[in-house]
């Protein structure tokens, strides 16, 4: 696909926001009363990083983020 730079930036921002939602949800589900909050934050951060990596890898493989035609 030959998309403009603005559309590619919009796709990356959308992936980042989706990954942030997944990370927040994972951290929220991992937190239990009486437990340390930093464990839930770390778990959410790992979920965010994994989701963002997966999203960008899939979009790169499909050809959305590449410069040439796929």
């Amino acid at each position: 696909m030959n998309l403009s730079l603005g559309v590619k930036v919009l796709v990356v921002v959308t992936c980042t926001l989706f990954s942030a939602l997944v990370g927040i949800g994972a951290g929220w589900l991992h937190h239990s009363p009486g437990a340390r909050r930093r464990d839930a934050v770390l778990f959410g951060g790992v979920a965010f990083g994994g989701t963002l990596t997966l999203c960008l890898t899939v979009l790169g493989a499909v050809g959305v983020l590449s410069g040439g035609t796929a």
Side-chain angles (χ1 to χ4, degrees):
M1 286 183 196
N2 194 5
L3 300 174
S4 67
L5 179 62
V7 173
K8 289 180 183 180
V9 169
L10 184 63
V11 168
V12 171
V13 168
T14 304
C15 286
T16 304
L17 290 175
F18 174 72
S19 299
L21 288 174
V22 169
I24 290 169
W28 182 61
L29 289 174
H30 185 70
H31 180 67
S32 59
R36 297 183 306 188
R37 288 190 181 139
R38 61 182 161 192
D39 293 335
V41 170
L42 181 64
F43 191 81
V46 169
F48 168 78
T51 305
L52 186 62
T53 303
L54 181 66
C55 285
L56 294 179
T57 303
V58 167
L59 288 174
V62 171
V64 172
L65 298 178
S66 64
T69 59

